Amino acid sequence: MRIASLQTFRQRVGDRPRVLVRISTEDGLDGWSEVYNHGPDLAYPPLLDYLFEQIKGMDARNPGRVNQFLLQSSRFPQGALGLAAIAAIDHALWDIAAKSLGVPVYQLLGGAVRDRVRVYAGLYSAPDVGELRDTTAALHDRFGFTAFKLSPYRKELHRTRFGLVVRELGEYFGEVRAGHPEEWDFAFDAHACLWEPRQAVDLGAALAPHQPLFLEEPLRPEHIPAWSRIRSEIAVPLATGESLYSPHEFLALLAAGGADIVQPDICVVGGLTQMTKIATIADAHYVPVAPHNPLGPLATAANVHFAAATTNFAVLEYKPDDVSWCPDPYLPVDGHLLLRPDRPGWGIEIDEAALTTDDWVTWKRKVPVRPDGSTAWM
């Protein structure tokens, strides 16, 4: 079952651009995936074409072998774009491998260890509590969500005295707790905007009285010893990982005692093949995995199968965006995504007719500017 072709499609998920990938075999089987949009998204189609020429004719049923070959095809460690492209190829091949046997992907990973996958709704903002209650109630009524992720910033972070940011966060979370069922979970994503460990500790202290599900990326990811320090001083579950790219980086983080929860992105780290290695490393350190997943239906499908077969999986990020090209995405029921044991591969369909329309949208990351004219992290 040889790899015969690779095709890319320019689409969107919500307001973000997305490159989709289809790999086809000589036998007529197709595998699908989506690419993480790191920013220079139009670099992906030529990069994927380049990688395809290296793997054309290889057996599509061996995603692990192809994954290792592509990692070794570069003299230097692959970066963000390279690993995202490799992940897309990896996922399309896992889809083909499972379809060739007529089974879900999770069966190739040892079978399911759970019947359904818990999800939380990624909201990414900090609206007034009344508006937030309306949003969470609607999501609970429609999908059964009982967990949500917010922003810890109620003010413009880089133009406000940090003590005011912290004080308002503590007051806000108290109001959020008082306005929702006590059994519901709320996480906060600081988006790696800070690089001073003391500030990360202060954010955690503001949240601690009301027991957040976790505080995500309250610090830049590069300096591992800083993560060890803040975890020793912080009183809430500390989560990170979306900006780490390899099992070695996660090993360094965990060996330093730098996180309570790891959040690798399956579309960033090189695909399902590498994601399972990271989960094993985390498991050996008694650390759960809560995958980063702000993407679309294909990325969610890959995460569902990973979560189904991974013992130390905790909860999956879910962003409820409609798309034109997937008529049957995994949708939450009672706050969980149900497995589809009767569907081979990822278990979803792709509407190829919808892909004939170029639904591309341009998106650029905005860099904040401080009052003195210097730039800051977003």
Side-chain angles (χ1 to χ4, degrees), residues 11-314:
Q11 292 293 311
R12 72 163 73 191
V13 174
D15 62 351
R16 297 291 181 90
R18 194 61 42 82
V19 175
L20 305 187
V21 176
R22 178 179 63 196
I23 292 179
S24 302
T25 69
E26 294 173 349
D27 306 81
L29 272 183
D30 294 332
W32 290 90
S33 63
E34 61 183 292
V35 189
Y36 192 96
N37 55 307
H38 282 287
D41 305 292
L42 292 177
Y44 284 121
L47 174 55
L48 285 158
D49 288 341
Y50 172 79
L51 295 178
F52 165 71
E53 290 301 325
Q54 300 182 50
I55 63 171
K56 184 178 180 180
M58 295 178 70
D59 193 330
R61 295 167 296 183
N62 295 328
R65 183 172 186 171
V66 173
N67 189 280
Q68 184 70 7
F69 173 83
L70 289 174
L71 289 176
Q72 293 172 330
S73 69
S74 174
R75 167 64 180 84
F76 299 98
Q78 298 278 359
L81 294 181
L83 283 171
I86 290 172
I89 291 172
D90 187 68
H91 292 162
L93 297 184
W94 277 103
D95 193 24
I96 289 172
K99 286 175 177 175
S100 73
L101 297 173
V103 298
V105 170
Y106 65 75
Q107 290 289 3
L108 303 185
L109 301 176
V113 299
R114 55 182 46 83
D115 299 321
R116 56 184 189 163
V117 174
R118 191 188 184 203
V119 290
Y120 66 84
L123 302 182
Y124 314 114
S125 62
D128 290 341
V129 174
E131 179 185 348
L132 177 63
R133 274 200 304 265
D134 291 342
T135 299
T136 55
L139 288 170
H140 177 72
D141 290 345
R142 182 181 178 189
F143 296 122
F145 279 113
T146 59
F148 307 88
K149 188 164 76 175
L150 307 173
S151 169
Y153 307 127
R154 292 279 287 162
K155 295 184 179 296
E156 192 172 352
L157 173 64
H158 300 294
R159 290 179 171 267
T160 306
R161 184 171 69 83
F162 190 72
L164 295 179
V165 173
V166 171
R167 185 176 71 189
E168 187 165 10
L169 172 60
E171 295 170 352
Y172 176 65
F173 192 20
E175 294 172 3
V176 169
R177 272 281 182 236
H180 290 86
E182 63 179 11
E183 293 297 320
W184 287 14
D185 280 312
F186 291 91
F188 289 82
D189 184 356
H191 283 289
C193 295
L194 306 176
W195 58 274
E196 297 179 46
R198 181 72 256 163
Q199 292 183 333
V201 173
D202 288 347
L203 281 185
L207 295 172
H210 302 291
Q211 300 178 320
L213 180 61
F214 54 76
L215 173 59
E216 177 177 339
E217 274 202 314
L219 197 67
R220 293 295 307 167
E222 292 86 359
H223 187 53
I224 295 298
W227 283 89
S228 179
R229 172 192 163 182
I230 65 173
R231 184 170 178 244
S232 71
E233 298 180 14
I234 208 165
V236 298
L238 183 60
T240 191
E242 71 180 79
S243 299
L244 302 179
Y245 297 121
S246 72
H248 304 90
E249 290 179 315
F250 282 92
L251 177 59
L253 173 73
L254 293 168
D260 296 292
I261 299 165
V262 292
Q263 301 170 298
D265 191 306
I266 203 167
C267 295
V268 169
V269 299
L272 178 60
T273 298
Q274 299 300 317
M275 190 81 160
T276 56
K277 297 177 184 179
I278 292 166
T280 299
I281 293 169
D283 194 28
H285 287 84
Y286 302 157
V287 171
V289 180
H292 180 250
N293 178 47
L295 303 185
L298 279 162
T300 293
N303 275 295
V304 165
H305 289 261
F306 164 79
T310 300
T311 55
N312 58 325
F313 165 80

